[in-house]
Tab-separated table of all heavy atoms in Angstrom:
chain	number	residue	atom	x	y	z
A	1	ASP	N	-0.743	17.451	29.410
A	1	ASP	CA	-1.258	18.156	30.578
A	1	ASP	C	-0.849	19.632	30.589
A	1	ASP	O	-1.653	20.502	30.912
A	1	ASP	CB	-0.771	17.441	31.840
A	1	ASP	CG	-1.464	17.923	33.091
A	1	ASP	OD1	-2.651	18.282	32.992
A	1	ASP	OD2	-0.828	17.932	34.163
A	2	GLU	N	0.404	19.916	30.242
A	2	GLU	CA	0.916	21.292	30.315
A	2	GLU	C	0.123	22.248	29.446
A	2	GLU	O	-0.107	23.395	29.826
A	2	GLU	CB	2.393	21.334	29.911
A	2	GLU	CG	3.307	20.641	30.889
A	2	GLU	CD	4.749	20.634	30.404
A	2	GLU	OE1	5.066	21.298	29.406
A	2	GLU	OE2	5.558	19.967	31.054
A	3	SER	N	-0.277	21.797	28.270
A	3	SER	CA	-0.998	22.682	27.345
A	3	SER	C	-2.497	22.389	27.301
A	3	SER	O	-3.231	23.044	26.553
A	3	SER	CB	-0.416	22.550	25.941
A	3	SER	OG	-0.524	21.208	25.494
A	4	ASP	N	-2.952	21.401	28.091
A	4	ASP	CA	-4.357	20.980	28.098
A	4	ASP	C	-4.858	20.721	26.676
A	4	ASP	O	-5.883	21.241	26.248
A	4	ASP	CB	-5.241	22.022	28.798
A	4	ASP	CG	-6.668	21.514	28.995
A	4	ASP	OD1	-6.859	20.288	29.194
A	4	ASP	OD2	-7.608	22.348	28.918
A	5	THR	N	-4.088	19.912	25.954
A	5	THR	CA	-4.467	19.563	24.582
A	5	THR	C	-4.350	18.055	24.365
A	5	THR	O	-3.603	17.371	25.055
A	5	THR	CB	-3.569	20.265	23.534
A	5	THR	OG1	-2.209	19.933	23.789
A	5	THR	CG2	-3.748	21.773	23.572
A	6	CYS	N	-5.086	17.596	23.407
A	6	CYS	CA	-5.030	16.196	22.984
A	6	CYS	C	-4.390	16.153	21.595
A	6	CYS	O	-4.865	16.810	20.667
A	6	CYS	CB	-6.433	15.595	22.925
A	6	CYS	SG	-6.459	13.898	22.312
A	7	VAL	N	-3.312	15.405	21.489
A	7	VAL	CA	-2.660	15.204	20.191
A	7	VAL	C	-3.184	13.888	19.627
A	7	VAL	O	-3.005	12.829	20.232
A	7	VAL	CB	-1.121	15.157	20.331
A	7	VAL	CG1	-0.477	14.914	18.976
A	7	VAL	CG2	-0.607	16.442	20.964
A	8	LEU	N	-3.856	13.973	18.492
A	8	LEU	CA	-4.445	12.800	17.858
A	8	LEU	C	-3.598	12.354	16.672
A	8	LEU	O	-3.322	13.137	15.771
A	8	LEU	CB	-5.855	13.110	17.350
A	8	LEU	CG	-6.933	13.207	18.400
A	8	LEU	CD1	-8.208	13.733	17.783
A	8	LEU	CD2	-7.172	11.850	19.026
A	9	GLY	N	-3.188	11.115	16.714
A	9	GLY	CA	-2.413	10.546	15.613
A	9	GLY	C	-3.191	9.429	14.943
A	9	GLY	O	-3.903	8.666	15.595
A	10	GLU	N	-3.070	9.345	13.641
A	10	GLU	CA	-3.770	8.325	12.865
A	10	GLU	C	-2.781	7.714	11.878
A	10	GLU	O	-2.067	8.441	11.185
A	10	GLU	CB	-4.934	8.969	12.119
A	10	GLU	CG	-5.777	8.021	11.311
A	10	GLU	CD	-6.942	8.757	10.639
A	10	GLU	OE1	-6.903	9.985	10.492
A	10	GLU	OE2	-7.880	8.068	10.251
A	11	VAL	N	-2.732	6.381	11.821
A	11	VAL	CA	-1.783	5.689	10.953
A	11	VAL	C	-2.462	4.479	10.322
A	11	VAL	O	-3.188	3.742	10.998
A	11	VAL	CB	-0.533	5.205	11.741
A	11	VAL	CG1	0.385	4.381	10.861
A	11	VAL	CG2	0.205	6.371	12.341
A	12	MET	N	-2.181	4.281	9.037
A	12	MET	CA	-2.586	3.053	8.351
A	12	MET	C	-1.449	2.683	7.413
A	12	MET	O	-1.019	3.490	6.588
A	12	MET	CB	-3.893	3.243	7.574
A	12	MET	CG	-4.393	1.969	6.932
A	12	MET	SD	-6.127	2.049	6.382
A	12	MET	CE	-6.141	3.478	5.320
A	13	ASN	N	-0.934	1.473	7.590
A	13	ASN	CA	0.233	1.022	6.845
A	13	ASN	C	-0.023	-0.413	6.390
A	13	ASN	O	-0.365	-1.268	7.210
A	13	ASN	CB	1.465	1.095	7.752
A	13	ASN	CG	2.743	0.849	7.023
A	13	ASN	OD1	2.779	0.728	5.797
A	13	ASN	ND2	3.827	0.760	7.763
A	14	SER	N	0.129	-0.687	5.115
A	14	SER	CA	-0.116	-2.025	4.606
A	14	SER	C	0.826	-2.313	3.442
A	14	SER	O	1.124	-1.430	2.647
A	14	SER	CB	-1.567	-2.144	4.130
A	14	SER	OG	-1.856	-3.460	3.718
A	15	SER	N	1.283	-3.554	3.362
A	15	SER	CA	2.106	-3.955	2.221
A	15	SER	C	1.922	-5.443	1.972
A	15	SER	O	1.593	-6.205	2.878
A	15	SER	CB	3.581	-3.634	2.459
A	15	SER	OG	4.071	-4.345	3.563
A	16	PHE	N	2.116	-5.841	0.722
A	16	PHE	CA	2.014	-7.250	0.356
A	16	PHE	C	2.767	-7.479	-0.947
A	16	PHE	O	3.094	-6.535	-1.671
A	16	PHE	CB	0.554	-7.706	0.222
A	16	PHE	CG	-0.233	-7.015	-0.866
A	16	PHE	CD1	-0.299	-7.553	-2.148
A	16	PHE	CD2	-0.911	-5.841	-0.603
A	16	PHE	CE1	-1.028	-6.922	-3.149
A	16	PHE	CE2	-1.650	-5.207	-1.596
A	16	PHE	CZ	-1.705	-5.757	-2.867
A	17	THR	N	3.062	-8.747	-1.218
A	17	THR	CA	3.744	-9.140	-2.453
A	17	THR	C	2.922	-10.222	-3.141
A	17	THR	O	2.456	-11.161	-2.496
A	17	THR	CB	5.163	-9.659	-2.157
A	17	THR	OG1	5.898	-8.608	-1.529
A	17	THR	CG2	5.875	-10.066	-3.435
A	18	PHE	N	2.751	-10.053	-4.425
A	18	PHE	CA	2.019	-11.002	-5.254
A	18	PHE	C	3.002	-11.637	-6.236
A	18	PHE	O	3.830	-10.942	-6.824
A	18	PHE	CB	0.909	-10.282	-6.025
A	18	PHE	CG	0.226	-11.129	-7.059
A	18	PHE	CD1	-0.712	-12.069	-6.697
A	18	PHE	CD2	0.537	-10.976	-8.400
A	18	PHE	CE1	-1.340	-12.853	-7.656
A	18	PHE	CE2	-0.084	-11.750	-9.369
A	18	PHE	CZ	-1.034	-12.693	-8.993
A	19	THR	N	2.924	-12.959	-6.407
A	19	THR	CA	3.769	-13.649	-7.387
A	19	THR	C	2.948	-13.921	-8.633
A	19	THR	O	1.943	-14.628	-8.588
A	19	THR	CB	4.304	-14.980	-6.825
A	19	THR	OG1	5.059	-14.708	-5.648
A	19	THR	CG2	5.189	-15.677	-7.838
A	20	ASP	N	3.390	-13.324	-9.732
A	20	ASP	CA	2.740	-13.540	-11.030
A	20	ASP	C	3.543	-14.614	-11.759
A	20	ASP	O	4.674	-14.390	-12.166
A	20	ASP	CB	2.726	-12.249	-11.832
A	20	ASP	CG	2.082	-12.411	-13.199
A	20	ASP	OD1	1.471	-13.471	-13.457
A	20	ASP	OD2	2.177	-11.467	-14.002
A	21	SER	N	2.962	-15.789	-11.913
A	21	SER	CA	3.684	-16.910	-12.522
A	21	SER	C	3.402	-17.071	-14.010
A	21	SER	O	3.741	-18.089	-14.605
A	21	SER	CB	3.341	-18.206	-11.777
A	21	SER	OG	1.944	-18.403	-11.772
A	22	SER	N	2.812	-16.048	-14.623
A	22	SER	CA	2.538	-16.099	-16.056
A	22	SER	C	3.840	-16.296	-16.839
A	22	SER	O	4.858	-15.661	-16.554
A	22	SER	CB	1.873	-14.801	-16.510
A	22	SER	OG	1.802	-14.758	-17.923
A	23	THR	N	3.804	-17.176	-17.826
A	23	THR	CA	4.993	-17.441	-18.653
A	23	THR	C	4.962	-16.663	-19.964
A	23	THR	O	5.865	-16.802	-20.781
A	23	THR	CB	5.116	-18.941	-18.955
A	23	THR	OG1	3.922	-19.369	-19.624
A	23	THR	CG2	5.323	-19.736	-17.675
A	24	SER	N	3.956	-15.838	-20.141
A	24	SER	CA	3.867	-15.032	-21.354
A	24	SER	C	5.052	-14.071	-21.436
A	24	SER	O	5.502	-13.541	-20.420
A	24	SER	CB	2.563	-14.223	-21.343
A	24	SER	OG	2.568	-13.286	-22.408
A	25	SER	N	5.557	-13.863	-22.636
A	25	SER	CA	6.658	-12.914	-22.815
A	25	SER	C	6.158	-11.566	-23.335
A	25	SER	O	6.954	-10.700	-23.687
A	25	SER	CB	7.712	-13.498	-23.757
A	25	SER	OG	7.127	-13.777	-25.018
A	26	ALA	N	4.834	-11.387	-23.365
A	26	ALA	CA	4.261	-10.106	-23.798
A	26	ALA	C	4.410	-9.057	-22.694
A	26	ALA	O	4.488	-9.393	-21.511
A	26	ALA	CB	2.780	-10.303	-24.132
A	27	ASP	N	4.480	-7.800	-23.087
A	27	ASP	CA	4.520	-6.712	-22.105
A	27	ASP	C	3.288	-6.789	-21.210
A	27	ASP	O	2.226	-7.258	-21.618
A	27	ASP	CB	4.535	-5.360	-22.806
A	27	ASP	CG	5.858	-5.084	-23.514
A	27	ASP	OD1	6.806	-5.872	-23.330
A	27	ASP	OD2	5.930	-4.080	-24.234
A	28	PHE	N	3.424	-6.314	-19.976
A	28	PHE	CA	2.304	-6.339	-19.048
A	28	PHE	C	2.253	-5.042	-18.250
A	28	PHE	O	3.221	-4.274	-18.218
A	28	PHE	CB	2.374	-7.552	-18.116
A	28	PHE	CG	3.570	-7.534	-17.196
A	28	PHE	CD1	3.462	-7.011	-15.921
A	28	PHE	CD2	4.795	-8.035	-17.611
A	28	PHE	CE1	4.559	-6.979	-15.081
A	28	PHE	CE2	5.900	-8.003	-16.772
A	28	PHE	CZ	5.780	-7.481	-15.503
A	29	TYR	N	1.132	-4.831	-17.601
A	29	TYR	CA	0.891	-3.676	-16.747
A	29	TYR	C	0.332	-4.175	-15.419
A	29	TYR	O	-0.387	-5.168	-15.375
A	29	TYR	CB	-0.167	-2.745	-17.349
A	29	TYR	CG	0.172	-2.123	-18.676
A	29	TYR	CD1	0.146	-2.876	-19.845
A	29	TYR	CD2	0.470	-0.773	-18.766
A	29	TYR	CE1	0.424	-2.297	-21.070
A	29	TYR	CE2	0.746	-0.181	-19.993
A	29	TYR	CZ	0.721	-0.953	-21.138
A	29	TYR	OH	0.987	-0.368	-22.350
A	30	PHE	N	0.635	-3.450	-14.357
A	30	PHE	CA	0.001	-3.675	-13.063
A	30	PHE	C	-0.428	-2.326	-12.510
A	30	PHE	O	0.208	-1.300	-12.784
A	30	PHE	CB	0.957	-4.335	-12.060
A	30	PHE	CG	1.002	-5.826	-12.160
A	30	PHE	CD1	1.979	-6.449	-12.913
A	30	PHE	CD2	0.074	-6.613	-11.497
A	30	PHE	CE1	2.027	-7.831	-13.023
A	30	PHE	CE2	0.106	-7.986	-11.593
A	30	PHE	CZ	1.090	-8.601	-12.353
A	31	ARG	N	-1.488	-2.355	-11.738
A	31	ARG	CA	-1.879	-1.144	-11.017
A	31	ARG	C	-2.428	-1.527	-9.651
A	31	ARG	O	-2.992	-2.617	-9.467
A	31	ARG	CB	-2.880	-0.307	-11.800
A	31	ARG	CG	-4.268	-0.847	-11.893
A	31	ARG	CD	-5.176	0.090	-12.693
A	31	ARG	NE	-6.526	-0.441	-12.809
A	31	ARG	CZ	-7.466	0.087	-13.552
A	31	ARG	NH1	-7.202	1.171	-14.257
A	31	ARG	NH2	-8.661	-0.450	-13.591
A	32	ALA	N	-2.232	-0.629	-8.703
A	32	ALA	CA	-2.772	-0.770	-7.352
A	32	ALA	C	-3.829	0.310	-7.188
A	32	ALA	O	-3.587	1.478	-7.503
A	32	ALA	CB	-1.678	-0.616	-6.310
A	33	VAL	N	-5.000	-0.105	-6.710
A	33	VAL	CA	-6.128	0.809	-6.566
A	33	VAL	C	-6.575	0.804	-5.100
A	33	VAL	O	-6.965	-0.238	-4.575
A	33	VAL	CB	-7.305	0.373	-7.467
A	33	VAL	CG1	-8.488	1.317	-7.296
A	33	VAL	CG2	-6.869	0.294	-8.932
């Protein structure tokens, strides 16, 4: 009210865990897109 302005905030927050049960002993890669 004092400054006659609107302060707009925007937030998006997400997290998760995936269990990879592969028994391979070869090197692996993961990526998040």
Side-chain angles (χ1 to χ4, degrees):
D1 191 33
E2 292 176 9
S3 59
D4 188 33
T5 57
C6 176
V7 179
L8 285 171
E10 182 178 19
V11 175
M12 184 165 55
N13 189 6
S14 184
S15 62
F16 63 92
T17 300
F18 171 77
T19 301
D20 179 10
S21 56
S22 171
T23 58
S24 171
S25 60
D27 289 352
F28 65 94
Y29 298 74
F30 275 95
R31 73 179 179 187
V33 179

